[in-house]
Structure formats: C-alpha cells, structure tokens
Amino acid sequence: MQHAPRSLAWQGDDLVSWTAGGRRWGPDGTEGAAEFFWGFPFDAATVPAPGPYRVVYQERGTKGVLLEGRRVVRELNRSFSHATSFDYPVALGRLGDGRDVVVHCPDEYHTLQIEDARSGERLTAGAREPEDVFHSRLGLSPDGRHLLSIGWFWQPFGTAQVFDTAQALADPATLDGEGVLPCEAVTGGEVSAGCWLDADRLVLATGREEWYSPDEEPEALPVLHLGVWSVSGRRWLHRSPVPEPGVLLLPRGDQVVTLHGHPRLLDTVTGRVLAQWPDVAVPTKSLCYSRKSHLTPVAALHPDGSRLAVVQAEGIAVVTLP
C-alpha cells in the first residue's frame, strides 16, 4: 500500500476512503484507482450517515468539504481558535422530518449550528450566548433527535454534552447551555469518547484524569469506566470499569469496539472484554484535544457487525468479530 488511508467506510463488501478521492479495495484486497483527487490535505471524514452526503475535512485544521457523491456541495470552515489543538467538530444526519443536516461550528468554537445540507440554510440562526466549551467529535442519534458533543473546557478537561435538536430548531439558544445530559453525570472521569447505541441509549467512556471522586459525586461516571446513559430516563443504566478506551467507539448492538493500542470488543452492560486483537496495532490517542496532533485510529465496522476493518501502516487488517 503506497499511502495508508486516513478514512475508511464499507460499501457492500468493498472498503472506500473518501479522503483519498474514492480509493477502493475489494474483498480480495485488490485496490482500485481513486475516482478523483484533492488539491488539499484532507485527513478525516464523517462516518456513514443516512442520505447521500459526507464530509471530508482536516482534523486539526479549519477546512472541510460537504460532498454529495463526487459533487462538491460547498466548502465548510471553522474558527482558527485552537484549531490545531482539537479535532474538527462536524456531523451529518437526518432529522425526524426527513431533512439531511450538517452540524458544525462555522463561526466560533463554542457555537453549534445546524444547517440544511442541500441548501445551506442555517436552521439555528438567532441570538446566542454560548458557554465556553470547545465542541468536538459530534454525533447525531439514529433518529436525529439528539446531538452528542465530546468536547472540552479550560483546565483542560474532556466532557460530554447532549442537545435536543427539536428544541434547538425552535430555540437555538438551547444549544448554548448544559443540554439534556446533567453536568453532574459527567464530572467524574474525563470523558474521552462516546457513541449512540440506539435512539435513546448513549455510551460514554472515561480516561485516567479525575474531576470528582465517586465519594464526592456518586452520580458521575468514574475514571476508566464505560457507561450507558438513557436520555429518556435521565440516568445511568450501566457503569463498568474498562481498559483505557481512547477516542473512538464503534457501536455493535449492545457491544462497542474500542481502539486504543489495539481493538477490543466490550460488553456495554458489564464492561467485560469479549474479544481483542493485540496483533492489530492502532494509535493510542486518548482525547479529542492535545497540543500535539496524535493520529486518530482509522477503522470501520461493517453494517452487519460481522467484520472490523482497521488501517495499518502497510495495509488494512480485516478481523471477524465473534
């Protein structure tokens, strides 16, 4: 492999990298030529979402491009403020009314905006007074009703916020406060990663840094824990100790794949390691922010949950999950 891809997605049984211009690999490992070429060093892409859109972007830069197939819909930008120190905040998804949207921070690092993907119309325009939080690693729930941000605030310390998108469309200022995830739930260990299991259940993972101990804040998620939060129930369903998770979680039913040093398959109820692949090396990036730009693991879980593709220095490893 001439250059390791910086993004990966499944299309049927093929693997595609859109940061590499549509570079493709078949099930037998045969590589196809890129469909097009970029004149800019994009090094990340959004995960597959409903609808025809995707975003490629520079993870520690200010530039992105919204694509529909091979067509460039428009360029995206974010503030230069500390842009080299934390991951670009952008997500794609589909709202309950069927509109495809892009969520990002086009003006300031702490101001989330929801835009119609096709027209570019800003759906959350209005007076704003955002809290001083650096939004990063955004993700819309499968039904488009809630938005997750795995970001950070000055100390620095990683945190998580969840916002109701229907409320945000009616009153954009609701994107500026605490949201629907209580602060006390995520002020234990430093939040490093998160993903949606379904429209209601959210998984969050914490690293090694502690804000409050369990004795001080018993409702918080402790250090080195995996927690399943119910948005409708406003409570933790499960909290379990786990190995250091890193910044990337991939959902698989009631399980998640973590990627820190190597891939692990975890049970979200107990935190138990169900399988792991120590011979498949991945970067040990711990948080969405850092002064140094650590590489994010590049991996893709097949939609049927059967296979995990992981970018290696000299190729792509595909492992079969139990």
Side-chain angles (χ1 to χ4, degrees):
M1 180 177 290
Q2 186 175 4
H3 301 289
R6 293 300 309 145
S7 69
L8 208 58
W10 288 93
Q11 283 196 342
D13 288 327
D14 288 354
L15 287 161
V16 180
S17 175
W18 294 108
T19 52
R23 199 166 152 204
R24 183 179 297 269
W25 297 267
D28 61 356
T30 302
E31 181 175 345
E35 298 177 22
F36 53 92
F37 298 92
W38 297 110
F40 189 85
F42 296 116
D43 59 6
T46 51
V47 297
Y53 301 101
R54 63 182 59 87
V55 174
V56 296
Y57 56 95
Q58 193 172 31
E59 189 170 65
R60 291 294 178 93
T62 61
K63 297 293 294 184
V65 172
L66 177 65
L67 300 173
E68 183 179 15
R70 295 176 55 180
R71 183 177 73 90
V72 173
V73 178
R74 63 182 178 278
E75 293 187 13
L76 304 178
N77 293 279
R78 69 157 164 167
S79 168
F80 66 87
S81 181
H82 298 283
T84 58
S85 297
F86 71 105
D87 297 346
Y88 198 120
V90 63
L92 291 172
R94 180 169 289 167
L95 301 181
D97 61 9
R99 279 183 293 186
D100 293 309
V101 294
V102 56
V103 186
H104 61 146
C105 297
D107 302 319
E108 298 181 89
Y109 62 85
H110 51 26
T111 308
L112 291 162
Q113 299 287 359
I114 303 174
E115 296 176 351
D116 183 276
R118 183 172 298 279
S119 68
E121 176 191 0
R122 186 166 292 184
L123 305 178
T124 47
R128 305 288 295 273
E129 294 183 5
E131 292 183 353
D132 197 20
V133 174
F134 292 79
H135 293 292
S136 188
R137 295 202 161 268
L138 305 180
L140 282 162
S141 59
D143 62 355
R145 181 60 191 264
H146 292 99
L147 170 69
L148 169 66
S149 170
I150 304 295
W152 58 287
F153 55 85
W154 275 114
Q155 292 302 321
F157 195 78
T159 190
Q161 292 178 287
V162 176
F163 302 97
D164 186 311
T165 58
Q167 290 181 5
L169 297 184
D171 180 8
T174 60
L175 291 172
D176 299 336
E178 179 178 278
V180 299
L181 177 64
C183 182
E184 59 267 22
V186 289
T187 49
E190 182 171 31
V191 179
S192 65
C195 69
W196 294 96
L197 288 182
D198 52 39
D200 181 63
R201 293 181 302 157
L202 167 71
V203 176
L204 297 177
T206 55
R208 296 181 177 276
E209 292 297 320
E210 185 177 67
W211 188 264
Y212 286 118
S213 71
D215 293 336
E216 296 173 287
E217 189 57 77
E219 296 305 313
L221 190 63
V223 298
L224 295 177
H225 267 63
L226 194 74
V228 181
W229 177 266
S230 168
V231 176
S232 62
R234 292 179 61 84
R235 65 185 181 92
W236 291 112
L237 301 177
H238 313 287
R239 287 182 290 178
S240 309
V242 293
E244 187 162 0
V247 297
L248 186 61
L249 297 180
L250 302 178
R252 183 190 187 231
D254 290 325
Q255 305 166 349
V256 291
V257 175
T258 66
L259 295 118
H260 189 264
H262 64 269
R264 298 175 178 87
L265 179 66
L266 305 183
D267 181 351
T268 60
V269 175
T270 64
R272 186 165 65 93
V273 178
L274 302 174
Q276 58 182 320
W277 298 268
D279 56 333
V280 180
V282 298
T284 54
K285 181 175 178 177
S286 298
L287 296 161
C288 70
Y289 70 87
S290 63
R291 290 175 181 249
K292 184 178 180 181
S293 182
H294 300 285
L295 290 176
T296 299
V298 179
L301 187 62
H302 194 277
D304 68 8
S306 64
R307 287 162 287 170
L308 175 71
V310 183
V311 171
Q312 307 284 273
E314 298 180 354
I316 299 173
V318 178
V319 298
T320 300
L321 278 63

PDB file of all heavy atoms in Angstrom, residues 189-216:
ATOM      1  N   GLY A 189     -14.774  11.058  35.840  1.00  0.00           N
ATOM      2  CA  GLY A 189     -13.599  10.905  34.995  1.00  0.00           C
ATOM      3  C   GLY A 189     -13.701  11.780  33.755  1.00  0.00           C
ATOM      4  O   GLY A 189     -14.794  12.191  33.342  1.00  0.00           O
ATOM      5  N   GLU A 190     -12.565  12.050  33.147  1.00  0.00           N
ATOM      6  CA  GLU A 190     -12.536  12.858  31.933  1.00  0.00           C
ATOM      7  C   GLU A 190     -13.121  12.059  30.775  1.00  0.00           C
ATOM      8  O   GLU A 190     -12.645  10.974  30.453  1.00  0.00           O
ATOM      9  CB  GLU A 190     -11.109  13.270  31.619  1.00  0.00           C
ATOM     10  CG  GLU A 190     -10.992  14.161  30.400  1.00  0.00           C
ATOM     11  CD  GLU A 190      -9.605  14.744  30.233  1.00  0.00           C
ATOM     12  OE1 GLU A 190      -8.625  14.081  30.639  1.00  0.00           O
ATOM     13  OE2 GLU A 190      -9.487  15.853  29.698  1.00  0.00           O
ATOM     14  N   VAL A 191     -14.169  12.583  30.133  1.00  0.00           N
ATOM     15  CA  VAL A 191     -14.810  11.873  29.030  1.00  0.00           C
ATOM     16  C   VAL A 191     -13.892  11.894  27.815  1.00  0.00           C
ATOM     17  O   VAL A 191     -13.428  12.958  27.380  1.00  0.00           O
ATOM     18  CB  VAL A 191     -16.166  12.505  28.679  1.00  0.00           C
ATOM     19  CG1 VAL A 191     -16.801  11.763  27.497  1.00  0.00           C
ATOM     20  CG2 VAL A 191     -17.106  12.458  29.881  1.00  0.00           C
ATOM     21  N   SER A 192     -13.630  10.724  27.265  1.00  0.00           N
ATOM     22  CA  SER A 192     -12.724  10.615  26.123  1.00  0.00           C
ATOM     23  C   SER A 192     -13.425  10.215  24.837  1.00  0.00           C
ATOM     24  O   SER A 192     -12.936  10.507  23.743  1.00  0.00           O
ATOM     25  CB  SER A 192     -11.613   9.608  26.422  1.00  0.00           C
ATOM     26  OG  SER A 192     -12.142   8.299  26.581  1.00  0.00           O
ATOM     27  N   ALA A 193     -14.577   9.541  24.950  1.00  0.00           N
ATOM     28  CA  ALA A 193     -15.235   9.019  23.745  1.00  0.00           C
ATOM     29  C   ALA A 193     -16.708   8.779  24.029  1.00  0.00           C
ATOM     30  O   ALA A 193     -17.139   8.670  25.182  1.00  0.00           O
ATOM     31  CB  ALA A 193     -14.570   7.717  23.296  1.00  0.00           C
ATOM     32  N   GLY A 194     -17.477   8.680  22.940  1.00  0.00           N
ATOM     33  CA  GLY A 194     -18.897   8.389  23.076  1.00  0.00           C
ATOM     34  C   GLY A 194     -19.496   7.964  21.751  1.00  0.00           C
ATOM     35  O   GLY A 194     -18.950   8.255  20.685  1.00  0.00           O
ATOM     36  N   CYS A 195     -20.634   7.282  21.810  1.00  0.00           N
ATOM     37  CA  CYS A 195     -21.370   6.905  20.607  1.00  0.00           C
ATOM     38  C   CYS A 195     -22.795   6.548  21.008  1.00  0.00           C
ATOM     39  O   CYS A 195     -23.094   6.329  22.186  1.00  0.00           O
ATOM     40  CB  CYS A 195     -20.704   5.745  19.870  1.00  0.00           C
ATOM     41  SG  CYS A 195     -20.775   4.157  20.741  1.00  0.00           S
ATOM     42  N   TRP A 196     -23.678   6.488  20.015  1.00  0.00           N
ATOM     43  CA  TRP A 196     -25.067   6.102  20.237  1.00  0.00           C
ATOM     44  C   TRP A 196     -25.239   4.608  19.984  1.00  0.00           C
ATOM     45  O   TRP A 196     -24.822   4.099  18.936  1.00  0.00           O
ATOM     46  CB  TRP A 196     -25.986   6.883  19.303  1.00  0.00           C
ATOM     47  CG  TRP A 196     -26.015   8.347  19.573  1.00  0.00           C
ATOM     48  CD1 TRP A 196     -25.284   9.314  18.946  1.00  0.00           C
ATOM     49  CD2 TRP A 196     -26.809   9.010  20.562  1.00  0.00           C
ATOM     50  NE1 TRP A 196     -25.565  10.542  19.481  1.00  0.00           N
ATOM     51  CE2 TRP A 196     -26.507  10.393  20.471  1.00  0.00           C
ATOM     52  CE3 TRP A 196     -27.747   8.582  21.502  1.00  0.00           C
ATOM     53  CZ2 TRP A 196     -27.108  11.340  21.291  1.00  0.00           C
ATOM     54  CZ3 TRP A 196     -28.349   9.516  22.324  1.00  0.00           C
ATOM     55  CH2 TRP A 196     -28.027  10.876  22.224  1.00  0.00           C
ATOM     56  N   LEU A 197     -25.863   3.897  20.939  1.00  0.00           N
ATOM     57  CA  LEU A 197     -26.244   2.510  20.704  1.00  0.00           C
ATOM     58  C   LEU A 197     -27.547   2.449  19.926  1.00  0.00           C
ATOM     59  O   LEU A 197     -27.759   1.575  19.091  1.00  0.00           O
ATOM     60  CB  LEU A 197     -26.418   1.758  22.022  1.00  0.00           C
ATOM     61  CG  LEU A 197     -25.160   1.431  22.819  1.00  0.00           C
ATOM     62  CD1 LEU A 197     -25.533   0.636  24.062  1.00  0.00           C
ATOM     63  CD2 LEU A 197     -24.148   0.664  21.982  1.00  0.00           C
ATOM     64  N   ASP A 198     -28.459   3.378  20.247  1.00  0.00           N
ATOM     65  CA  ASP A 198     -29.740   3.494  19.558  1.00  0.00           C
ATOM     66  C   ASP A 198     -30.262   4.896  19.816  1.00  0.00           C
ATOM     67  O   ASP A 198     -29.513   5.768  20.296  1.00  0.00           O
ATOM     68  CB  ASP A 198     -30.735   2.410  20.013  1.00  0.00           C
ATOM     69  CG  ASP A 198     -30.902   2.324  21.525  1.00  0.00           C
ATOM     70  OD1 ASP A 198     -30.915   3.392  22.187  1.00  0.00           O
ATOM     71  OD2 ASP A 198     -31.032   1.209  22.056  1.00  0.00           O
ATOM     72  N   ALA A 199     -31.535   5.147  19.532  1.00  0.00           N
ATOM     73  CA  ALA A 199     -32.080   6.495  19.647  1.00  0.00           C
ATOM     74  C   ALA A 199     -32.133   7.001  21.084  1.00  0.00           C
ATOM     75  O   ALA A 199     -32.194   8.211  21.317  1.00  0.00           O
ATOM     76  CB  ALA A 199     -33.479   6.552  19.035  1.00  0.00           C
ATOM     77  N   ASP A 200     -32.090   6.109  22.055  1.00  0.00           N
ATOM     78  CA  ASP A 200     -32.176   6.525  23.459  1.00  0.00           C
ATOM     79  C   ASP A 200     -30.900   6.295  24.239  1.00  0.00           C
ATOM     80  O   ASP A 200     -30.568   7.073  25.124  1.00  0.00           O
ATOM     81  CB  ASP A 200     -33.323   5.771  24.152  1.00  0.00           C
ATOM     82  CG  ASP A 200     -33.477   6.181  25.606  1.00  0.00           C
ATOM     83  OD1 ASP A 200     -33.790   7.369  25.859  1.00  0.00           O
ATOM     84  OD2 ASP A 200     -33.278   5.330  26.500  1.00  0.00           O
ATOM     85  N   ARG A 201     -30.163   5.230  23.930  1.00  0.00           N
ATOM     86  CA  ARG A 201     -29.014   4.856  24.752  1.00  0.00           C
ATOM     87  C   ARG A 201     -27.706   5.397  24.183  1.00  0.00           C
ATOM     88  O   ARG A 201     -27.391   5.195  23.012  1.00  0.00           O
ATOM     89  CB  ARG A 201     -28.933   3.345  24.901  1.00  0.00           C
ATOM     90  CG  ARG A 201     -30.083   2.738  25.700  1.00  0.00           C
ATOM     91  CD  ARG A 201     -29.919   1.235  25.819  1.00  0.00           C
ATOM     92  NE  ARG A 201     -29.849   0.614  24.496  1.00  0.00           N
ATOM     93  CZ  ARG A 201     -29.297  -0.570  24.252  1.00  0.00           C
ATOM     94  NH1 ARG A 201     -28.738  -1.250  25.245  1.00  0.00           N
ATOM     95  NH2 ARG A 201     -29.291  -1.077  23.041  1.00  0.00           N
ATOM     96  N   LEU A 202     -26.965   6.047  25.059  1.00  0.00           N
ATOM     97  CA  LEU A 202     -25.697   6.662  24.729  1.00  0.00           C
ATOM     98  C   LEU A 202     -24.600   5.986  25.547  1.00  0.00           C
ATOM     99  O   LEU A 202     -24.782   5.711  26.732  1.00  0.00           O
ATOM    100  CB  LEU A 202     -25.771   8.151  25.078  1.00  0.00           C
ATOM    101  CG  LEU A 202     -24.491   8.957  25.102  1.00  0.00           C
ATOM    102  CD1 LEU A 202     -23.966   9.153  23.698  1.00  0.00           C
ATOM    103  CD2 LEU A 202     -24.744  10.310  25.767  1.00  0.00           C
ATOM    104  N   VAL A 203     -23.476   5.688  24.903  1.00  0.00           N
ATOM    105  CA  VAL A 203     -22.325   5.130  25.607  1.00  0.00           C
ATOM    106  C   VAL A 203     -21.252   6.198  25.730  1.00  0.00           C
ATOM    107  O   VAL A 203     -20.890   6.854  24.737  1.00  0.00           O
ATOM    108  CB  VAL A 203     -21.736   3.909  24.864  1.00  0.00           C
ATOM    109  CG1 VAL A 203     -20.479   3.418  25.564  1.00  0.00           C
ATOM    110  CG2 VAL A 203     -22.750   2.785  24.807  1.00  0.00           C
ATOM    111  N   LEU A 204     -20.739   6.394  26.938  1.00  0.00           N
ATOM    112  CA  LEU A 204     -19.627   7.304  27.182  1.00  0.00           C
ATOM    113  C   LEU A 204     -18.499   6.535  27.855  1.00  0.00           C
ATOM    114  O   LEU A 204     -18.743   5.598  28.623  1.00  0.00           O
ATOM    115  CB  LEU A 204     -20.051   8.475  28.078  1.00  0.00           C
ATOM    116  CG  LEU A 204     -21.113   9.407  27.524  1.00  0.00           C
ATOM    117  CD1 LEU A 204     -21.469  10.473  28.561  1.00  0.00           C
ATOM    118  CD2 LEU A 204     -20.642  10.071  26.232  1.00  0.00           C
ATOM    119  N   ALA A 205     -17.269   6.948  27.567  1.00  0.00           N
ATOM    120  CA  ALA A 205     -16.094   6.311  28.154  1.00  0.00           C
ATOM    121  C   ALA A 205     -15.194   7.383  28.749  1.00  0.00           C
ATOM    122  O   ALA A 205     -15.118   8.504  28.243  1.00  0.00           O
ATOM    123  CB  ALA A 205     -15.338   5.506  27.095  1.00  0.00           C
ATOM    124  N   THR A 206     -14.526   7.029  29.825  1.00  0.00           N
ATOM    125  CA  THR A 206     -13.649   7.980  30.509  1.00  0.00           C
ATOM    126  C   THR A 206     -12.213   7.494  30.515  1.00  0.00           C
ATOM    127  O   THR A 206     -11.935   6.291  30.487  1.00  0.00           O
ATOM    128  CB  THR A 206     -14.106   8.206  31.965  1.00  0.00           C
ATOM    129  OG1 THR A 206     -14.186   6.936  32.633  1.00  0.00           O
ATOM    130  CG2 THR A 206     -15.458   8.893  32.006  1.00  0.00           C
ATOM    131  N   GLY A 207     -11.297   8.470  30.584  1.00  0.00           N
ATOM    132  CA  GLY A 207      -9.875   8.191  30.658  1.00  0.00           C
ATOM    133  C   GLY A 207      -9.367   8.201  32.088  1.00  0.00           C
ATOM    134  O   GLY A 207     -10.110   7.933  33.033  1.00  0.00           O
ATOM    135  N   ARG A 208      -8.106   8.582  32.257  1.00  0.00           N
ATOM    136  CA  ARG A 208      -7.444   8.440  33.546  1.00  0.00           C
ATOM    137  C   ARG A 208      -7.576   9.658  34.458  1.00  0.00           C
ATOM    138  O   ARG A 208      -7.327   9.559  35.667  1.00  0.00           O
ATOM    139  CB  ARG A 208      -5.955   8.143  33.326  1.00  0.00           C
ATOM    140  CG  ARG A 208      -5.713   6.816  32.619  1.00  0.00           C
ATOM    141  CD  ARG A 208      -4.237   6.530  32.439  1.00  0.00           C
ATOM    142  NE  ARG A 208      -4.040   5.219  31.823  1.00  0.00           N
ATOM    143  CZ  ARG A 208      -4.014   4.073  32.475  1.00  0.00           C
ATOM    144  NH1 ARG A 208      -4.169   4.076  33.794  1.00  0.00           N
ATOM    145  NH2 ARG A 208      -3.825   2.936  31.838  1.00  0.00           N
ATOM    146  N   GLU A 209      -7.928  10.822  33.913  1.00  0.00           N
ATOM    147  CA  GLU A 209      -7.997  12.036  34.727  1.00  0.00           C
ATOM    148  C   GLU A 209      -9.312  12.114  35.483  1.00  0.00           C
ATOM    149  O   GLU A 209     -10.375  11.813  34.945  1.00  0.00           O
ATOM    150  CB  GLU A 209      -7.827  13.277  33.851  1.00  0.00           C
ATOM    151  CG  GLU A 209      -6.444  13.433  33.244  1.00  0.00           C
ATOM    152  CD  GLU A 209      -5.363  13.616  34.292  1.00  0.00           C
ATOM    153  OE1 GLU A 209      -5.613  14.351  35.287  1.00  0.00           O
ATOM    154  OE2 GLU A 209      -4.279  13.013  34.145  1.00  0.00           O
ATOM    155  N   GLU A 210      -9.236  12.555  36.749  1.00  0.00           N
ATOM    156  CA  GLU A 210     -10.421  12.628  37.605  1.00  0.00           C
ATOM    157  C   GLU A 210     -10.744  14.075  37.939  1.00  0.00           C
ATOM    158  O   GLU A 210      -9.862  14.889  38.189  1.00  0.00           O
ATOM    159  CB  GLU A 210     -10.175  11.839  38.892  1.00  0.00           C
ATOM    160  CG  GLU A 210     -11.383  11.743  39.806  1.00  0.00           C
ATOM    161  CD  GLU A 210     -11.108  10.879  41.027  1.00  0.00           C
ATOM    162  OE1 GLU A 210     -10.279  11.300  41.868  1.00  0.00           O
ATOM    163  OE2 GLU A 210     -11.695   9.792  41.137  1.00  0.00           O
ATOM    164  N   TRP A 211     -12.070  14.387  37.928  1.00  0.00           N
ATOM    165  CA  TRP A 211     -12.533  15.709  38.357  1.00  0.00           C
ATOM    166  C   TRP A 211     -13.106  15.603  39.767  1.00  0.00           C
ATOM    167  O   TRP A 211     -12.664  16.283  40.678  1.00  0.00           O
ATOM    168  CB  TRP A 211     -13.579  16.223  37.378  1.00  0.00           C
ATOM    169  CG  TRP A 211     -13.992  17.643  37.601  1.00  0.00           C
ATOM    170  CD1 TRP A 211     -15.077  18.091  38.300  1.00  0.00           C
ATOM    171  CD2 TRP A 211     -13.320  18.809  37.136  1.00  0.00           C
ATOM    172  NE1 TRP A 211     -15.128  19.467  38.291  1.00  0.00           N
ATOM    173  CE2 TRP A 211     -14.058  19.935  37.584  1.00  0.00           C
ATOM    174  CE3 TRP A 211     -12.163  19.009  36.386  1.00  0.00           C
ATOM    175  CZ2 TRP A 211     -13.669  21.250  37.295  1.00  0.00           C
ATOM    176  CZ3 TRP A 211     -11.778  20.309  36.098  1.00  0.00           C
ATOM    177  CH2 TRP A 211     -12.522  21.413  36.555  1.00  0.00           C
ATOM    178  N   TYR A 212     -14.122  14.769  39.918  1.00  0.00           N
ATOM    179  CA  TYR A 212     -14.667  14.457  41.237  1.00  0.00           C
ATOM    180  C   TYR A 212     -14.548  12.964  41.481  1.00  0.00           C
ATOM    181  O   TYR A 212     -14.761  12.154  40.579  1.00  0.00           O
ATOM    182  CB  TYR A 212     -16.146  14.838  41.343  1.00  0.00           C
ATOM    183  CG  TYR A 212     -16.399  16.320  41.442  1.00  0.00           C
ATOM    184  CD1 TYR A 212     -17.137  16.981  40.471  1.00  0.00           C
ATOM    185  CD2 TYR A 212     -15.924  17.058  42.525  1.00  0.00           C
ATOM    186  CE1 TYR A 212     -17.384  18.340  40.557  1.00  0.00           C
ATOM    187  CE2 TYR A 212     -16.159  18.418  42.615  1.00  0.00           C
ATOM    188  CZ  TYR A 212     -16.897  19.052  41.629  1.00  0.00           C
ATOM    189  OH  TYR A 212     -17.124  20.394  41.720  1.00  0.00           O
ATOM    190  N   SER A 213     -14.244  12.585  42.708  1.00  0.00           N
ATOM    191  CA  SER A 213     -14.201  11.166  43.056  1.00  0.00           C
ATOM    192  C   SER A 213     -15.623  10.657  43.265  1.00  0.00           C
ATOM    193  O   SER A 213     -16.547  11.452  43.481  1.00  0.00           O
ATOM    194  CB  SER A 213     -13.386  10.960  44.333  1.00  0.00           C
ATOM    195  OG  SER A 213     -14.110  11.453  45.452  1.00  0.00           O
ATOM    196  N   PRO A 214     -15.833   9.332  43.193  1.00  0.00           N
ATOM    197  CA  PRO A 214     -17.178   8.783  43.437  1.00  0.00           C
ATOM    198  C   PRO A 214     -17.751   9.188  44.791  1.00  0.00           C
ATOM    199  O   PRO A 214     -18.968   9.291  44.954  1.00  0.00           O
ATOM    200  CB  PRO A 214     -16.957   7.273  43.339  1.00  0.00           C
ATOM    201  CG  PRO A 214     -15.749   7.123  42.463  1.00  0.00           C
ATOM    202  CD  PRO A 214     -14.872   8.291  42.797  1.00  0.00           C
ATOM    203  N   ASP A 215     -16.887   9.410  45.785  1.00  0.00           N
ATOM    204  CA  ASP A 215     -17.376   9.836  47.097  1.00  0.00           C
ATOM    205  C   ASP A 215     -17.947  11.247  47.045  1.00  0.00           C
ATOM    206  O   ASP A 215     -18.918  11.563  47.729  1.00  0.00           O
ATOM    207  CB  ASP A 215     -16.250   9.775  48.127  1.00  0.00           C
ATOM    208  CG  ASP A 215     -15.803   8.348  48.416  1.00  0.00           C
ATOM    209  OD1 ASP A 215     -16.618   7.425  48.200  1.00  0.00           O
ATOM    210  OD2 ASP A 215     -14.655   8.166  48.825  1.00  0.00           O
ATOM    211  N   GLU A 216     -17.339  12.103  46.210  1.00  0.00           N
ATOM    212  CA  GLU A 216     -17.794  13.488  46.100  1.00  0.00           C
ATOM    213  C   GLU A 216     -19.001  13.623  45.174  1.00  0.00           C
ATOM    214  O   GLU A 216     -19.882  14.456  45.410  1.00  0.00           O
ATOM    215  CB  GLU A 216     -16.658  14.371  45.573  1.00  0.00           C
ATOM    216  CG  GLU A 216     -15.462  14.463  46.489  1.00  0.00           C
ATOM    217  CD  GLU A 216     -14.327  15.209  45.823  1.00  0.00           C
ATOM    218  OE1 GLU A 216     -13.690  14.634  44.914  1.00  0.00           O
ATOM    219  OE2 GLU A 216     -14.096  16.369  46.204  1.00  0.00           O
TER     220      GLU A 216
END
